[in-house]
Amino acid sequence: MKLLLSVLGLALACHLVHATLSKSDAKKEKKSLLEKTQHADRPVQERALVRTDIRAEDVVLEHRSYCSAQARERHFDGAVLGYVTPWNSHGYDIAKTFGNKFTHVSPVWLQLKRRGREMFEVTGLHDVDQGWMRAVRKNAKGLRIVPRLLFEDWTFDDFKSVSDSEDEVEELTKTMVQVAKTQHLDGFVVEVWSQLLSQKQAGLVHMLTHIAEALHQARLLAILVIPPSVTPGTHQLGMFTNEELEQLAPVLDGFSLMTYDYSTAQQPGPNAPLSWVRACVQVLDPKSKWRHKILLGLNLYGMDYSASRDAREPVVGTRYIQMLKEHRPQLTWDSQAAEHVFEYKKSRGGRHVVFYPTLKSVQVRLDLARELGVGISIWELGQGLDYFYDLL
């Protein structure tokens, strides 16, 4: 494991971003780039679009043109979990259109709060959309809807009280099961590890074990969001390692692994370098014992880095297409990270570097997931380009 981490560290330390910005003549009037509005009769794999040498005008032309005839056909055999958020309505449409390509959909709706001794409340229920859930299930038989449940505003005392008391844990799990049953949910994707790990790890494992057991007794699923097992930008172990996996894998149904957000505003670079993504799985499960429960994180958003301000901001599909139309950049394939990148300049904002997923970068990560024997978890549906879903 140490050798693997050392090699990863050397590979990523040597990584440099190379991209060129072609000069544009402001005096020349640019013609608007064309965009197809009709669906395609063949998937992107059969239209020679999954490639490293791509042009901005081709992405703009094709990005909406997915193969509607194969919208229900799966090309990736592993588990596929897709997150949807209330602030991105297009994700709800994607889940309905391509529902058959997913095994799980996780709406980011709910928060779990402790209100006092043996008193818990799930908030965010106003976002639960029963009509949408019925529509998704109608179009995709067997798909499980497992909203994310975020442990929110928990203090050290809250956590200590719950982890030290069987009665507290019992009330917590009763609250979760009751909400799942009344709201017609199939379980939860629990996000708690990063919030509470610094407090008391043994207690957290204990609490999660009880949560999983209670959900299973009610025939509900329990999936846990986990941070990367290799800390981004280093070759150090992360907050969730093989030790914790071995403790929790026997009782949990899956692990949503956050293999993205690798780079920072101070050190611009790729969203998820391929060597790091691979190492996160291999370090987490070196003996391939629990790979079938690991969901490799796949980001469908990008990042725009400002070189002059040491700042960055997320880029979603609509913004990405606007940038391609406005700047007509040269898209360069970073073979080490296996991501496309381009540069542009603002009149007053200086130089910017943008990493955003493409058909090729998504396909490479799906191929890696197949090789490693893991599923994928997508953050988030609606942030990417519609023709990405031909690949799933």
Side-chain angles (χ1 to χ4, degrees):
M1 184 180 294
K2 290 183 178 179
L3 176 61
L4 174 62
L5 292 173
S6 298
V7 171
L8 174 68
L10 288 173
L12 294 176
C14 295
H15 180 82
L16 294 174
V17 174
H18 295 285
T20 58
L21 178 67
S22 58
K23 295 181 179 180
S24 60
D25 186 355
K27 296 180 181 179
K28 294 182 179 179
E29 184 179 353
K30 293 181 179 179
K31 293 183 179 180
S32 298
L33 295 181
L34 298 176
E35 290 183 71
K36 291 181 180 179
T37 56
Q38 294 183 337
H39 299 153
D41 58 357
R42 293 178 299 156
V44 293
Q45 300 93 318
E46 298 178 15
R47 289 185 278 153
L49 296 178
V50 188
R51 50 198 295 174
T52 58
D53 56 330
I54 59 175
R55 303 182 306 166
E57 51 263 45
D58 294 331
V59 175
V60 173
L61 179 66
E62 300 282 356
H63 72 98
R64 291 178 178 172
S65 186
Y66 64 87
C67 181
S68 59
Q70 295 187 19
R72 296 173 60 85
E73 295 184 20
R74 295 194 66 187
H75 301 288
F76 181 81
D77 293 332
V80 179
L81 183 149
Y83 290 96
V84 295
T85 60
W87 53 87
N88 186 346
S89 61
H90 189 48
Y92 288 87
D93 296 331
I94 291 293
K96 288 191 290 187
T97 301
F98 299 101
N100 253 35
K101 292 177 179 282
F102 306 106
T103 55
H104 307 76
V105 170
S106 182
V108 179
W109 286 335
L110 308 177
Q111 305 81 41
L112 178 66
K113 299 186 178 185
R114 184 172 183 264
R115 299 303 193 188
R117 180 169 177 78
E118 299 180 22
M119 296 175 59
F120 302 91
E121 181 186 8
V122 173
T123 60
L125 294 174
H126 61 279
D127 283 322
V128 177
D129 188 333
Q130 297 292 341
W132 172 80
M133 288 196 296
R134 285 193 295 270
V136 171
R137 286 177 170 136
K138 181 179 179 181
N139 294 335
K141 304 300 181 183
L143 181 143
R144 314 298 290 275
I145 297 179
V146 284
R148 188 192 71 171
L149 181 66
L150 176 68
F151 279 55
E152 188 171 80
D153 298 332
W154 282 54
T155 66
F156 172 79
D157 289 337
D158 287 330
F159 178 63
K160 187 175 186 304
S161 297
V162 173
S163 61
D164 290 346
S165 169
E166 296 295 327
D167 290 338
E168 287 265 11
V169 174
E170 184 177 353
E171 287 303 317
L172 184 155
T173 58
K174 282 183 179 179
T175 300
M176 293 176 63
V177 169
Q178 181 181 17
V179 167
K181 291 300 185 181
T182 57
Q183 298 295 326
H184 311 292
L185 310 176
D186 296 310
F188 297 101
V189 175
V190 177
E191 185 164 355
V192 64
W193 195 267
S194 297
Q195 289 88 327
L196 300 181
L197 177 62
S198 60
Q199 312 296 344
K200 186 179 178 185
Q201 181 174 312
L204 183 51
V205 171
H206 171 76
M207 183 180 73
L208 286 168
T209 300
H210 277 284
I211 288 174
E213 290 173 347
L215 291 178
H216 288 163
Q217 287 178 1
R219 297 185 178 181
L220 299 168
L221 297 175
I223 298 171
L224 178 66
V225 178
I226 59 173
S229 55
V230 181
T231 303
T234 74
H235 57 276
Q236 304 296 319
L237 289 175
M239 296 189 299
F240 192 97
T241 66
N242 177 252
E243 180 181 355
E244 291 77 41
L245 180 72
E246 291 291 343
Q247 291 175 296
L248 287 169
V251 296
L252 290 172
D253 297 295
F255 299 86
S256 181
L257 178 60
M258 300 172 67
T259 41
Y260 34 74
D261 284 346
Y262 177 86
S263 300
T264 64
Q266 292 70 38
Q267 293 183 313
N271 295 304
L274 199 66
S275 58
W276 174 69
V277 174
R278 177 188 296 274
C280 283
V281 174
Q282 293 175 333
V283 169
L284 180 62
D285 186 26
K287 295 182 180 180
S288 303
K289 184 179 178 181
W290 302 107
R291 298 285 176 91
H292 62 290
K293 291 192 174 186
I294 297 173
L295 303 170
L296 187 72
L298 175 64
N299 60 287
L300 292 189
Y301 63 90
M303 282 292 173
D304 180 352
Y305 297 92
S306 172
S308 60
R309 296 187 291 113
D310 280 343
R312 69 174 188 173
E313 60 181 22
V315 177
V316 298
T318 51
R319 173 63 181 144
Y320 176 67
I321 295 300
Q322 289 174 356
M323 296 165 84
L324 296 185
K325 289 179 179 179
E326 180 179 354
H327 301 288
R328 314 285 176 92
Q330 176 181 334
L331 294 165
T332 302
W333 178 250
D334 182 335
S335 58
Q336 185 175 340
E339 295 185 20
H340 277 98
V341 58
F342 69 84
E343 291 187 12
Y344 73 94
K345 284 185 178 180
K346 286 186 175 179
S347 57
R348 295 183 179 180
R351 174 176 163 270
H352 286 245
V353 178
V354 177
F355 285 85
Y356 185 86
T358 58
L359 288 169
K360 184 63 176 180
S361 71
V362 172
Q363 184 64 64
V364 167
R365 281 150 183 80
L366 291 175
D367 291 341
L368 177 63
R370 290 189 186 94
E371 176 193 336
L372 296 173
V374 299
I376 59 170
S377 54
I378 300 173
W379 186 275
E380 61 171 284
L381 305 187
Q383 287 187 336
L385 305 178
D386 286 357
Y387 70 172
F388 286 169
Y389 299 98
D390 277 356
L391 301 173
L392 291 178

